[in-house]
């Protein structure tokens, strides 16, 4: 079996004076291509730490992160930056949009930063699917929270990443809007054959996933298909 994402005995320890905080304490976890995984768990259980390791934003104390079968820990700084830009789409809770750029400019920014030609048909298709086409020329500050989050999703998808990593992307939205936005994310990811790993506090949203991985104290305590 080939997995798109795999971790082996992943550990992240932080030394705080005399105490060791075990943010991740031996995570063995596999994700199939085009799977939609929800990660749930209490505050401080290690969810964001795990997502950061998967996206190469941080390095583990011990263990391995394999993306498409290759260890990302062996990549040099420059290679890692390219890996992140091309393979991973990040979506964060606080949209991180550039306030002075309009919606379209925000969405294509990562493609331009990568020095690639923008596939305008593809980008326009995403904007349409996410129902923000008519907001293309507007500045982020003039949009609602749900609209801004859809722009952030469009931006994460713009580089055609194989993997979407989302950390509480709808944490600031009401429940109905969260469902709508994540339903759209799921639909778009299906259409473009992407894998989603999503952290959420919301059990209803987790039900949208193919699998729900529950983390406690840096360990996986259950991994179920209840979301199917
Ligand atoms: N840079 C750091 N230095 C020290 N401890 C850290 C650091 N980053 C995270 N931790 C600790 O690691 C543990 C896991 O943190 P993490 O951010 O992964 O939790 P989380 O599950 O994402 O929580 P939340 O739901 O609140 O976002 C926590 O106990 C946290 O205090
Ligand atoms: Mg977190």
């Amino acid at each position: 079996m080939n997995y798109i994402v795999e971790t082996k005995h992943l550990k992240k320890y932080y030394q705080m004076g005399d105490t060791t905080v075990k943010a991740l304490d031996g995570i063995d976890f596999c994700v199939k291509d085009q799977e939609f995984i929800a990660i749930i768990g209490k505050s401080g259980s290690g969810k964001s730490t795990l997502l950061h390791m998967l996206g190469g934003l941080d390095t583990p104390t011990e263990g391995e992160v394999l993306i498409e079968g290759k260890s990302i820990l062996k990549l040099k700084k420059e290679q890692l930056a390219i890996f992140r830009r091309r393979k991973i789409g990040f979506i964060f809770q606080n949209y991180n949009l550039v306030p002075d750029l309009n919606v379209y400019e925000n969405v294509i920014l990562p493609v331009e930063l990568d020095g690639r030609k923008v596939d305008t048909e593809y980008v326009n298709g995403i904007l349409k699917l996410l129902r923000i086409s008519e907001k293309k020329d507007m500045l982020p500050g003039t949009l609602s929270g749900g609209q801004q989050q859809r722009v952030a999703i469009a931006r994460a998808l713009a580089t055609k990443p194989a993997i979407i990593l989302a950390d509480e992307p709808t944490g600031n939205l009401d429940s109905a809007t969260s469902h709508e936005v994540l339903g759209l994310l799921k639909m778009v990811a299906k259409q473009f054959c992407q894998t989603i790993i999503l952290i959420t506090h919301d059990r209803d949203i987790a039900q949208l996933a193919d699998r729900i991985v529950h983390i406690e104290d840096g360990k996986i305590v259950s991994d179920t298909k209840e979301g199917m």
Side-chain angles (χ1 to χ4, degrees):
M1 180 78 214
N2 287 326
Y3 295 106
I4 187 158
V5 175
E6 194 173 357
T7 69
K8 292 185 176 167
H9 318 302
L10 199 64
K11 293 185 181 176
K12 182 69 175 180
Y13 290 179
Y14 293 105
Q15 198 59 44
M16 308 298 285
D18 290 344
T19 53
T20 307
V21 177
K22 298 180 175 181
L24 295 179
D25 197 16
I27 300 269
D28 288 284
F29 159 73
C30 298
V31 181
K32 282 187 254 169
D33 191 24
Q34 297 177 47
E35 229 179 345
F36 177 177
I37 308 282
I39 297 179
I40 60 168
K42 288 198 198 92
S43 180
S45 56
K47 305 179 299 295
S48 296
T49 307
L50 175 60
L51 211 72
H52 293 160
M53 302 293 154
L54 299 181
L57 292 175
D58 203 349
T59 48
T61 309
E62 240 182 85
E64 271 289 359
V65 177
L66 305 173
I67 304 289
E68 294 173 341
K70 289 192 204 96
S71 168
I72 62 165
L73 304 175
K74 297 197 179 91
L75 297 178
K76 300 207 173 71
K77 208 172 155 199
E78 179 68 11
Q79 293 173 308
L80 188 64
I82 293 172
F83 153 79
R84 270 203 302 267
R85 281 208 302 265
R86 304 211 171 142
K87 280 271 180 251
I88 309 279
F90 288 102
I91 309 171
F92 298 104
Q93 184 170 353
N94 52 351
Y95 329 124
N96 288 331
L97 299 172
V98 182
D100 304 335
L101 297 181
N102 70 28
V103 164
Y104 188 79
E105 291 162 345
N106 264 284
V107 170
I108 63 168
L109 188 63
V111 185
E112 294 193 318
L113 287 176
D114 198 31
R116 281 191 277 167
K117 193 172 172 296
V118 176
D119 181 344
T120 47
E121 205 175 311
Y122 169 79
V123 171
N124 284 326
I126 290 172
L127 293 176
K128 201 165 165 202
L129 283 171
L130 292 168
R131 299 195 220 115
I132 41 175
S133 299
E134 70 286 5
K135 304 287 180 193
K136 256 168 97 166
D137 302 323
M138 311 219 357
L139 293 176
T142 66
L143 304 181
S144 73
Q147 289 164 345
Q148 289 185 56
Q149 192 53 291
R150 280 180 277 157
V151 176
I153 291 174
R155 181 186 53 188
L157 295 170
T159 54
K160 303 180 184 171
I163 305 164
I164 310 282
L165 299 178
D167 195 346
E168 297 268 2
T170 58
N172 291 323
L173 307 178
D174 64 74
S175 151
T177 310
S178 301
H179 270 260
E180 191 193 354
V181 169
L182 286 178
L184 288 169
L185 173 64
K186 183 176 172 175
M187 180 185 74
V188 175
K190 269 238 144 51
Q191 189 153 337
F192 298 110
C193 304
Q194 286 152 327
T195 303
I196 304 178
I197 303 177
L198 166 91
I199 295 175
T200 182
H201 270 116
D202 185 329
R203 286 217 169 239
D204 288 341
I205 283 176
Q207 296 300 321
L208 290 170
D210 302 319
R211 253 168 67 202
I212 301 176
V213 174
H214 186 172
I215 297 190
E216 261 177 38
D217 298 328
K219 294 191 176 81
I220 293 178
V221 291
S222 75
D223 186 339
T224 60
K225 285 205 184 275
E226 63 187 285
M228 285 292 265

